[in-house]
mmCIF file of all heavy atoms in Angstrom:
data_model
loop_
_atom_site.group_PDB
_atom_site.id
_atom_site.type_symbol
_atom_site.label_atom_id
_atom_site.label_comp_id
_atom_site.label_asym_id
_atom_site.label_seq_id
_atom_site.Cartn_x
_atom_site.Cartn_y
_atom_site.Cartn_z
ATOM 1 N N LEU A 276 5.657 1.304 3.163
ATOM 2 C CA LEU A 276 6.210 2.015 4.315
ATOM 3 C C LEU A 276 5.822 1.307 5.608
ATOM 4 O O LEU A 276 6.660 1.118 6.501
ATOM 5 C CB LEU A 276 5.719 3.465 4.349
ATOM 6 C CG LEU A 276 6.204 4.404 3.249
ATOM 7 C CD1 LEU A 276 5.608 5.791 3.455
ATOM 8 C CD2 LEU A 276 7.712 4.465 3.184
ATOM 9 N N ALA A 277 4.556 0.906 5.709
ATOM 10 C CA ALA A 277 4.090 0.202 6.912
ATOM 11 C C ALA A 277 4.823 -1.125 7.091
ATOM 12 O O ALA A 277 5.166 -1.511 8.217
ATOM 13 C CB ALA A 277 2.582 -0.014 6.848
ATOM 14 N N ASN A 278 5.069 -1.811 6.001
ATOM 15 C CA ASN A 278 5.798 -3.074 6.066
ATOM 16 C C ASN A 278 7.234 -2.845 6.550
ATOM 17 O O ASN A 278 7.772 -3.634 7.326
ATOM 18 C CB ASN A 278 5.779 -3.753 4.694
ATOM 19 C CG ASN A 278 6.277 -5.168 4.749
ATOM 20 O OD1 ASN A 278 5.890 -5.950 5.612
ATOM 21 N ND2 ASN A 278 7.142 -5.517 3.815
ATOM 22 N N LEU A 279 7.843 -1.746 6.111
ATOM 23 C CA LEU A 279 9.187 -1.403 6.565
ATOM 24 C C LEU A 279 9.176 -1.047 8.055
ATOM 25 O O LEU A 279 10.092 -1.409 8.789
ATOM 26 C CB LEU A 279 9.743 -0.247 5.724
ATOM 27 C CG LEU A 279 11.203 0.122 5.909
ATOM 28 C CD1 LEU A 279 12.128 -1.059 5.627
ATOM 29 C CD2 LEU A 279 11.554 1.302 5.009
ATOM 30 N N GLU A 280 8.121 -0.373 8.500
ATOM 31 C CA GLU A 280 7.987 -0.092 9.935
ATOM 32 C C GLU A 280 7.886 -1.388 10.727
ATOM 33 O O GLU A 280 8.506 -1.531 11.786
ATOM 34 C CB GLU A 280 6.751 0.774 10.202
ATOM 35 C CG GLU A 280 6.907 2.200 9.786
ATOM 36 C CD GLU A 280 5.699 3.047 10.082
ATOM 37 O OE1 GLU A 280 4.563 2.534 10.076
ATOM 38 O OE2 GLU A 280 5.892 4.255 10.326
ATOM 39 N N PHE A 281 7.105 -2.323 10.220
ATOM 40 C CA PHE A 281 6.963 -3.621 10.890
ATOM 41 C C PHE A 281 8.329 -4.308 10.997
ATOM 42 O O PHE A 281 8.693 -4.822 12.047
ATOM 43 C CB PHE A 281 5.971 -4.494 10.126
ATOM 44 C CG PHE A 281 5.852 -5.884 10.674
ATOM 45 C CD1 PHE A 281 5.129 -6.127 11.827
ATOM 46 C CD2 PHE A 281 6.479 -6.938 10.039
ATOM 47 C CE1 PHE A 281 5.024 -7.417 12.339
ATOM 48 C CE2 PHE A 281 6.386 -8.226 10.539
ATOM 49 C CZ PHE A 281 5.656 -8.471 11.697
ATOM 50 N N ALA A 282 9.075 -4.299 9.903
ATOM 51 C CA ALA A 282 10.378 -4.958 9.876
ATOM 52 C C ALA A 282 11.370 -4.311 10.841
ATOM 53 O O ALA A 282 12.254 -4.980 11.370
ATOM 54 C CB ALA A 282 10.953 -4.942 8.461
ATOM 55 N N ASN A 283 11.213 -2.996 11.077
ATOM 56 C CA ASN A 283 12.123 -2.273 11.965
ATOM 57 C C ASN A 283 11.562 -2.084 13.372
ATOM 58 O O ASN A 283 12.236 -1.525 14.237
ATOM 59 C CB ASN A 283 12.462 -0.900 11.366
ATOM 60 C CG ASN A 283 13.463 -1.022 10.264
ATOM 61 O OD1 ASN A 283 14.654 -1.118 10.515
ATOM 62 N ND2 ASN A 283 12.995 -1.055 9.031
ATOM 63 N N ALA A 284 10.334 -2.525 13.579
ATOM 64 C CA ALA A 284 9.682 -2.433 14.892
ATOM 65 C C ALA A 284 9.641 -1.001 15.420
ATOM 66 O O ALA A 284 9.777 -0.760 16.617
ATOM 67 C CB ALA A 284 10.352 -3.359 15.892
ATOM 68 N N ASP A 285 9.467 -0.038 14.514
ATOM 69 C CA ASP A 285 9.335 1.353 14.939
ATOM 70 C C ASP A 285 8.775 2.182 13.790
ATOM 71 O O ASP A 285 8.803 1.765 12.626
ATOM 72 C CB ASP A 285 10.683 1.922 15.379
ATOM 73 C CG ASP A 285 10.541 2.977 16.469
ATOM 74 O OD1 ASP A 285 9.430 3.519 16.665
ATOM 75 O OD2 ASP A 285 11.550 3.251 17.134
ATOM 76 N N TRP A 295 19.369 3.707 10.351
ATOM 77 C CA TRP A 295 18.227 2.803 10.444
ATOM 78 C C TRP A 295 18.564 1.353 10.111
ATOM 79 O O TRP A 295 17.956 0.434 10.633
ATOM 80 C CB TRP A 295 17.072 3.294 9.574
ATOM 81 C CG TRP A 295 17.266 3.044 8.110
ATOM 82 C CD1 TRP A 295 17.923 3.853 7.233
ATOM 83 C CD2 TRP A 295 16.818 1.925 7.380
ATOM 84 N NE1 TRP A 295 17.918 3.287 5.990
ATOM 85 C CE2 TRP A 295 17.237 2.097 6.047
ATOM 86 C CE3 TRP A 295 16.103 0.775 7.701
ATOM 87 C CZ2 TRP A 295 16.966 1.175 5.050
ATOM 88 C CZ3 TRP A 295 15.831 -0.140 6.705
ATOM 89 C CH2 TRP A 295 16.262 0.068 5.397
ATOM 90 N N ASP A 298 22.132 -2.662 11.572
ATOM 91 C CA ASP A 298 22.255 -4.071 11.965
ATOM 92 C C ASP A 298 22.176 -5.034 10.777
ATOM 93 O O ASP A 298 22.272 -6.246 10.964
ATOM 94 C CB ASP A 298 21.192 -4.437 13.005
ATOM 95 C CG ASP A 298 19.783 -4.326 12.463
ATOM 96 O OD1 ASP A 298 19.575 -3.632 11.439
ATOM 97 O OD2 ASP A 298 18.886 -4.923 13.061
#
Side-chain angles (χ1 to χ4, degrees):
L276 292 180
N278 191 46
L279 189 58
E280 286 181 330
F281 175 77
N283 283 279
D285 211 342
W295 76 274
D298 64 340

